[in-house]
Amino acid sequence: MVAVLHHSLAETQAACRKFAQQGLSIGFVPTMGALHAGHGSLISRAARENDVVVVSDFVNPLQFGDLGDLDAYPRDLDGDVALARSAGATVVCAPQVHELYPTWPEAPATMVSVGPLAEIFEGAARPGHFNGVATIVTKLHNAVRPTRAYYGEKDFQQLAVIRQITSDLSPDVEIIGCTTKREADGLAMSSRNVRLSAEARVAARGLSRALHVAGQAFRANPQVSAETLNELMATSVLAGGDLVTLDYAVVVDASTFARATGPVDPTATRCLITAIVGGVRLLDNAGLTFTLADEMSTSP
Ligand code: AMP
């Protein structure tokens, strides 16, 4: 099917009403553009599981505390439409900021406020970030009224926030969490990776290696403590040298995000890592069963 490009959310909303009247299921993949194969994997999955697929392509200014970061965010609408189309999108919606936020640069009077989950880890590092995410997700879900909406585990805390607001505000939308797509050396794909210098790109491998090291340590000793795993992960990330500043490397309860202590339950925990590498904030996470292929974890 040929993907149609809409420049307004109103147009997409009208198209989605027609899809729903025809009894078609709608898969929705919200993105901030600069699409890569990670986004492509969400779109293809949505295409396999639904009659039509709507992809939104909107750099949401409300979730950026730092307006320099907003300006520096990569954009490539032509490339996005081509990738979305080849992955199976029906509609790509790239609305303008003023349609969604008529008062911008003043924030809208009404924002969706998420609660404690939005205050820790990424929420602590980026105050207001998750309320910005929750507000745009609510607006987009209201317009598209998807049968299923697809979000990446790559942004694990964001996925948890979206599950929370959906269950609180619009429980009829099914939220599907999708596995993280990685580069050949293990680095989690991210639109921000294009901002890494060649040296930072090498140092960035430390994040996925740290997740591998944690999985390996757990397999070697299932009684290993969360504290030991945290130290092992931090050491692996910081092996990237001076270019790397670690924000956190921590084993948490996968639903409450409470820090794990003592021996860990691999079915209920998640390892979260965030580091600033060469000035670029990178996130990764995995369960304790995670392993990189041997050649990835040992390559220079
Ligand atoms: P973004 O454009 O970065 O806001 O991401 C849009 C969606 O794609 C979010 O649900 C992300 O979690 C997801 N995503 C980003 N990177 C990846 C990846 N490497 N693998 C799978 N999903 C991803």
Side-chain angles (χ1 to χ4, degrees), residues 30-33 36 38-39 41-42 73 150-155 158 178-181 188-191:
T31 80
M32 296 210 299
H36 50 66
H39 300 109
S41 67
L42 271 59
Y73 202 82
Y150 295 79
Y151 292 90
E153 288 182 347
K154 154 79 176 34
D155 301 289
Q158 170 176 280
C178 303
T179 51
T180 301
K181 188 104 178 151
M189 288 183 181
S190 164
S191 304

Side-chain angles (χ1 to χ4, degrees), residues 95-113:
Q96 303 300 307
V97 171
H98 281 98
E99 184 191 3
L100 275 80
Y101 306 124
T103 58
W104 184 256
E106 289 294 316
T110 306
M111 297 273 295
V112 178
S113 151

